[in-house]
Coordinates of all heavy atoms in Angstrom, one line a residue:
S1 N 132.7 116.8 105.6 CA 133.4 115.5 105.6 C 132.5 114.4 105.1 O 131.3 114.6 104.9 CB 133.8 115.2 107.1 OG 132.7 115.0 107.9
G2 N 133.1 113.3 104.8 CA 132.3 112.1 104.4 C 132.5 111.8 102.9 O 131.9 110.8 102.5
G3 N 133.2 112.6 102.2 CA 133.4 112.4 100.8 C 134.3 111.2 100.6 O 134.9 110.7 101.5
G4 N 134.4 110.8 99.3 CA 135.3 109.7 99.0 C 135.0 109.1 97.6 O 134.3 109.8 96.8
S5 N 135.6 108.0 97.3 CA 135.3 107.3 96.0 C 134.5 106.1 96.2 O 134.8 105.3 97.1 CB 136.7 106.9 95.4 OG 137.5 108.1 95.2
V6 N 133.4 106.0 95.4 CA 132.5 104.9 95.5 C 132.2 104.4 94.1 O 132.3 105.2 93.1 CB 131.2 105.2 96.2 CG1 131.6 105.6 97.7 CG2 130.5 106.3 95.6
Q7 N 131.7 103.2 94.0 CA 131.2 102.7 92.7 C 129.8 103.2 92.5 O 129.1 103.5 93.4 CB 131.2 101.2 92.7 CG 132.6 100.5 92.8 CD 133.3 100.8 91.5 OE1 132.8 100.5 90.4 NE2 134.6 101.2 91.6
A8 N 129.4 103.3 91.2 CA 128.0 103.7 90.9 C 127.1 102.8 91.6 O 127.3 101.6 91.7 CB 127.8 103.6 89.4
G9 N 126.0 103.4 92.1 CA 125.0 102.6 92.9 C 125.3 102.6 94.4 O 124.4 102.2 95.2
G10 N 126.5 103.1 94.8 CA 126.8 103.1 96.2 C 126.3 104.3 96.9 O 125.5 105.1 96.3
S11 N 126.6 104.4 98.2 CA 126.1 105.5 99.0 C 127.2 106.2 99.8 O 128.2 105.6 100.1 CB 125.1 104.9 100.0 OG 124.0 104.4 99.4
L12 N 127.0 107.4 100.1 CA 127.8 108.2 101.0 C 127.0 109.1 101.8 O 125.9 109.5 101.4 CB 128.8 109.1 100.2 CG 130.0 108.4 99.5 CD1 130.7 109.4 98.6 CD2 130.9 107.8 100.5
R13 N 127.4 109.5 103.0 CA 126.8 110.4 103.8 C 127.7 111.6 104.1 O 128.8 111.3 104.8 CB 126.3 109.8 105.1 CG 125.4 110.7 105.9 CD 125.1 110.2 107.3 NE 124.0 110.9 107.9 CZ 123.7 110.9 109.3 NH1 124.5 110.2 110.1 NH2 122.7 111.5 109.7
L14 N 127.4 112.7 103.7 CA 128.2 113.9 103.9 C 127.8 114.6 105.2 O 126.6 114.7 105.5 CB 128.2 114.9 102.7 CG 128.5 114.3 101.4 CD1 128.5 115.4 100.3 CD2 129.8 113.6 101.4
S15 N 128.7 115.2 105.9 CA 128.4 116.0 107.1 C 129.0 117.4 106.9 O 130.1 117.5 106.3 CB 128.9 115.3 108.3 OG 128.4 114.0 108.5
C16 N 128.3 118.3 107.5 CA 128.8 119.7 107.5 C 128.7 120.2 109.0 O 127.6 120.5 109.5 CB 128.0 120.6 106.6 SG 128.4 122.4 106.8
A17 N 129.8 120.2 109.7 CA 129.9 120.6 111.0 C 130.1 122.1 111.1 O 131.0 122.7 110.4 CB 131.0 119.9 111.8
S18 N 129.2 122.8 111.8 CA 129.3 124.3 111.9 C 129.7 124.7 113.3 O 129.4 124.1 114.3 CB 128.0 124.9 111.5 OG 127.0 124.5 112.4
S19 N 130.3 125.9 113.3 CA 130.7 126.5 114.6 C 130.9 128.0 114.4 O 131.0 128.5 113.3 CB 132.0 125.9 115.1 OG 133.1 126.1 114.2
G20 N 131.0 128.7 115.5 CA 131.3 130.1 115.4 C 130.0 131.0 115.2 O 130.2 132.2 114.9
W21 N 128.9 130.4 115.2 CA 127.7 131.1 115.0 C 126.5 130.4 115.6 O 126.6 129.2 116.0 CB 127.4 131.4 113.5 CG 127.1 130.2 112.7 CD1 127.9 129.0 112.6 CD2 126.0 130.0 111.8 NE1 127.3 128.1 111.8 CE2 126.1 128.7 111.3 CE3 124.9 130.7 111.5 CZ2 125.2 128.2 110.4 CZ3 124.0 130.2 110.6 CH2 124.1 128.9 110.0
R22 N 125.4 131.1 115.7 CA 124.2 130.4 116.2 C 123.5 129.7 115.0 O 122.9 130.3 114.1 CB 123.2 131.4 116.8 CG 122.0 130.8 117.4 CD 121.2 131.9 118.2 NE 122.0 132.4 119.3 CZ 121.5 133.4 120.1 NH1 120.4 134.0 119.9 NH2 122.3 133.8 121.1
Y23 N 123.7 128.4 115.0 CA 123.3 127.6 113.8 C 121.8 127.6 113.7 O 121.0 127.5 114.6 CB 123.8 126.1 114.1 CG 123.3 125.2 113.0 CD1 124.1 125.0 111.9 CD2 122.2 124.4 113.2 CE1 123.7 124.1 110.9 CE2 121.8 123.5 112.2 CZ 122.5 123.3 111.1 OH 122.1 122.5 110.1
I24 N 121.4 127.8 112.4 CA 120.0 127.7 112.1 C 119.9 127.0 110.7 O 120.5 127.4 109.7 CB 119.3 129.1 112.0 CG1 117.8 128.9 111.7 CG2 120.0 130.0 111.1 CD1 117.0 128.2 112.7
S25 N 119.2 125.9 110.7 CA 119.2 125.0 109.6 C 118.6 125.6 108.3 O 119.0 125.3 107.2 CB 118.4 123.7 109.9 OG 117.0 124.0 110.1
N26 N 117.7 126.6 108.4 CA 117.1 127.1 107.2 C 118.0 128.2 106.6 O 117.5 128.8 105.6 CB 115.7 127.7 107.5 CG 115.6 128.8 108.5 OD1 116.6 129.2 109.0 ND2 114.4 129.3 108.8

């Protein structure tokens, strides 16, 4: 989530929510 349309030079923060497993960042 977190996508969208922005002007050049702008910022966005994307998120990836996980479930159904034992999350491990690496």
Side-chain angles (χ1 to χ4, degrees):
S1 62
S5 298
V6 298
Q7 294 291 310
S11 298
L12 286 172
R13 191 190 193 198
L14 306 184
S15 298
C16 172
S18 64
S19 62
W21 68 307
R22 185 171 294 176
Y23 178 87
I24 180 67
S25 63
N26 62 0

